[in-house]
Amino acid sequence: MLLTSFRIASGCQAVRWLVACSALLLQMNMAFAQLVQLAPDRLALCASCHGTDGNSPIAEHPKLAKLQTSYFVRQMEDFKKGRRKSTVMQGIVAGIDEKEFQAFAVHFNQQNPPTPGKGDPKLLPQGKEIFYEGIVGSAVPACSGCHKDDGTGTNRYPRLAGQHPQYLVQQMLNYKTGARDNDDRGLMRAVAQRMNEAEIRAVAEYIVTMKGDEE
C-alpha cells in the first residue's frame, strides 16, 4: 500500500515537473521571439523581393514564410561564405552580421503560410505522382520522403508547399547543371540529374497547389 502511494506521488511529481518545464519553455520561446523583432530598416533589406511577410509576389523569388529557421540560417551562411552563388543575395548578406541571421529566420518562420496557387491543370497528375511516388524508372525518390507528405519539410529539408513553381524549376535546373551545389551530400544534385525539365516543371506545378500546414 505504501509502495503504491509512493509510486502515485512520484508520478504526480513527474507530471507537475513536466508541466512546469513546458510552461518555462513556452515563456522562453515567447521572450526570444520578442527579442528578435527586426527593425524596419533591417526588414527592408528583404521586403522588396520577398515581401515583409515572406510571401513574395515575385515568381522568381522564393517565399520565405514558414521556412524552417535552421534551413534559413544555413542558406544565409552559405551565401555569406560563397557556398551558394547569387550576385544579389551575396551583395545583401555582405551588409548583414551573421548574428542577425537567426532574427531574420524567426521573423519569417512566424508569418502566415504561403497561399497555394492553382498550378497548371495539365501537369498536376504527373506532378502529384512524382511528389508522392517518385520516378521508378529513373530511380528518382519521392519528394515526400524528405519534405513530408504535406510539403512542410523538416529541420533538415525545407518547406516546399505553396512555393513559386518558377523558382523551384530554376533551383532544380541549377542543381542539375551544378550551378548550385550547396545541397546536403549532393542529394538534390543527384535527384535533379535524373529528371528532365518536363518532369521538374510538373512536380513544381503540383507543389504550388499544396496547402501544407492547413491540410
Side-chain angles (χ1 to χ4, degrees), residues 135-157:
I135 306 173
V136 177
S138 304
V140 172
C143 307
S144 59
C146 292
H147 298 277
K148 298 179 63 176
D149 285 348
D150 61 0
T152 55
T154 66
N155 285 334
R156 188 171 183 178
Y157 301 108

Side-chain angles (χ1 to χ4, degrees), residues 27-207:
Q27 291 176 353
M28 289 174 66
N29 286 337
M30 292 176 65
F32 179 72
Q34 291 176 349
L35 287 173
V36 297
Q37 290 295 317
L38 289 170
D41 64 313
R42 305 309 286 161
L43 189 55
L45 294 171
C46 308
S48 60
C49 291
H50 303 283
T52 56
D53 63 351
N55 282 287
S56 171
I58 304 171
E60 291 75 22
H61 298 154
K63 297 178 183 180
L64 304 179
K66 287 298 180 189
L67 191 63
Q68 286 80 357
T69 56
S70 57
Y71 181 80
F72 183 101
V73 170
R74 189 162 65 250
Q75 297 310 302
M76 292 289 278
E77 290 174 344
D78 283 356
F79 282 128
K80 187 87 167 176
K81 296 176 181 178
R83 291 191 292 257
R84 182 174 175 182
K85 306 297 190 297
S86 169
T87 303
V88 174
M89 282 303 303
Q90 287 176 294
I92 291 174
V93 297
I96 301 176
D97 192 292
E98 290 187 38
K99 295 178 182 179
E100 295 182 275
F101 290 168
Q102 185 69 19
F104 282 98
V106 170
H107 168 82
F108 288 116
N109 179 260
Q110 292 177 336
Q111 305 306 308
N112 292 326
T115 301
K118 294 181 179 180
D120 186 335
K122 297 179 181 179
L123 300 179
L124 295 184
Q126 181 187 14
K128 182 176 182 180
E129 181 178 353
I130 294 172
F131 189 87
Y132 292 109
E133 305 296 334
I135 306 173
V136 177
S138 304
V140 172
C143 307
S144 59
C146 292
H147 298 277
K148 298 179 63 176
D149 285 348
D150 61 0
T152 55
T154 66
N155 285 334
R156 188 171 183 178
Y157 301 108
R159 177 193 177 96
L160 298 178
Q163 187 59 265
H164 290 305
Q166 294 90 332
Y167 172 75
L168 289 177
V169 168
Q170 186 57 61
Q171 293 308 302
M172 287 295 285
L173 292 178
N174 287 346
Y175 281 129
K176 188 177 180 69
T177 62
R180 179 174 175 183
D181 60 1
N182 72 322
D183 49 324
D184 185 19
R185 296 175 295 177
L187 177 61
M188 286 308 303
R189 277 172 285 170
V191 170
Q193 287 164 9
R194 297 170 188 168
M195 299 176 70
N196 59 46
E197 188 169 344
E199 292 165 337
I200 290 172
R201 194 169 300 281
V203 74
E205 289 292 336
Y206 175 71
I207 287 172

